[in-house]
Amino acid sequence: MRLTVIGSSPAWPDPGSAQSGYLLEHEEGRLLLDCGPGVLARLREREPWPTVDAIAITHFHLDHWGDLVPWVWGSMYLFGSAQRLPHLFVHSGGRAILEDFGERFGFADMFDRVFTVHEYDGPFVAAGFTVEPHRLPHYSLETYGFRVSGNGATLAYSGDSGPSDALVALARNADLFLCEATLVAPSADGTLRGHLSAEEAVEAFRASGARRLLLTHRPVELALPPGLEQVADGDTFDLG
Ligand SMILES: [Zn+2]
C-alpha cells in the first residue's frame, strides 16, 4: 500500500498547507482518511475531480472533515454525474450529525446525494482495506483512530488524541504509526486532554512496538527533537 500525505496541518493551516487528509492506495482501491480544508484542492492537483473509492472520517472537528462540504457542491453541480458515489464512513450517529450540518449548510440530505454514507461501529472494509476504528480521548468529542490493513501491511493513524493506552493499542506492531504531535508541551493542553506533545507521541510509539513513527498535525513553528520524522504535504511512503 502507498500512503500519500495530502494535508498535514494542525487545527489551523500552516502556510500553503492543507489540513488533515491522507490517501491510501493499493490495487483494490483508494481510501482517503479524513478530509480537512485544503484537501480537495490538493486532490484536484492530481486529477480533475477525486476518484477515491472511500473516505473515512475520524471525528467531526472541522479540520478533519470540512472539505466534504465543497466536495458536495462540486459533485452536485459539475463533476459527479459520471462518477460512482464514493463510500463515506462516519462513526455511529454520524449520519444524524451530517444531516444536522446539511440543514445549516444547504440540504439535510446533501451528503447522501453524493456519497454512500455508512456508520461504523466496529471493523469495516473500505476500498479493499480493513479498517479497525479505535476510540481515543480527544476532549469530550467522540473520536477514533484508524488501524488500516491491506497487502500484509498495517498503518495506524491517530487522528487526534490525548495520551492513552488505547493509542498504544491502536499502533501495536504496526508497520507505520502516523501520529499527531500538536503540542509544544503536555501542560499546554489543559486538564481535559485532546492532543499530544512530540515526546508523548514517542512514548506511545515505543510502547506500541510499531516499526516507524511519522509525526503530523504539528505547527510548522514547533521544531522537533533530533531524529524524529515529520511529514509534509505531498510526501509518499510505501508499506508492505
Ligand atoms: Zn480534533
Side-chain angles (χ1 to χ4, degrees):
M1 79 167 87
R2 166 167 283 197
L3 164 68
T4 302
V5 177
I6 305 298
S8 60
S9 280
W12 58 94
D14 288 330
S17 171
Q19 293 180 280
S20 301
Y22 305 92
L23 183 65
L24 282 175
E25 297 172 279
H26 63 168
E27 300 78 30
E28 294 177 55
R30 306 170 76 211
L31 168 64
L32 180 66
L33 304 179
D34 283 338
C35 188
V39 168
L40 183 54
R42 281 250 188 270
L43 290 172
R44 294 199 63 202
E45 291 173 337
R46 301 160 56 97
E47 54 187 336
W49 196 250
T51 56
V52 301
D53 300 286
I55 303 166
I57 301 295
T58 57
H59 67 297
F60 281 98
H61 276 156
L62 190 77
D63 56 319
H64 289 257
W65 79 278
D67 257 11
L68 293 183
V69 175
W71 197 309
V72 169
W73 305 137
S75 296
M76 277 179 61
Y77 291 108
L78 196 56
F79 298 103
S81 58
Q83 295 197 7
R84 285 180 296 121
L85 302 188
H87 296 278
L88 172 62
F89 292 87
V90 293
H91 65 65
S92 184
R95 177 182 287 279
I97 295 171
L98 287 174
E99 286 175 2
D100 187 47
F101 280 121
E103 276 181 7
R104 295 159 200 271
F105 294 155
F107 318 98
D109 67 344
M110 60 184 271
F111 297 98
D112 284 306
R113 294 191 191 191
V114 306
F115 301 112
T116 303
V117 179
H118 309 265
E119 293 185 341
Y120 58 79
D121 190 18
F124 59 95
V125 175
F129 294 100
T130 301
V131 183
E132 272 179 43
H134 287 239
R135 180 79 191 261
L136 298 175
H138 183 46
Y139 307 112
S140 57
L141 191 69
E142 184 166 355
T143 302
Y144 294 83
F146 292 139
R147 188 176 168 89
V148 186
S149 302
N151 301 80
T154 299
L155 167 80
Y157 166 50
S158 69
D160 288 349
S161 179
S164 81
D165 292 342
L167 183 67
V168 175
L170 170 80
R172 179 77 61 205
N173 298 325
D175 295 289
L176 206 55
F177 182 23
L178 177 63
C179 188
E180 73 121 293
T182 307
L183 302 179
V184 64
S187 59
D189 206 24
T191 51
L192 190 59
R193 294 301 307 271
H195 292 288
L196 302 168
S197 68
E199 290 74 14
E200 288 170 330
V202 169
E203 275 177 34
F205 166 68
R206 291 199 175 129
S208 74
R211 291 206 188 128
R212 183 176 178 184
L213 174 66
L214 297 175
L215 298 178
T216 190
H217 206 273
R218 185 168 181 81
V220 70
E221 290 79 8
L222 298 185
L224 281 173
L228 295 180
E229 290 184 274
Q230 180 173 355
V231 301
D233 297 18
D235 285 352
T236 60
F237 303 89
D238 289 315
L239 294 79

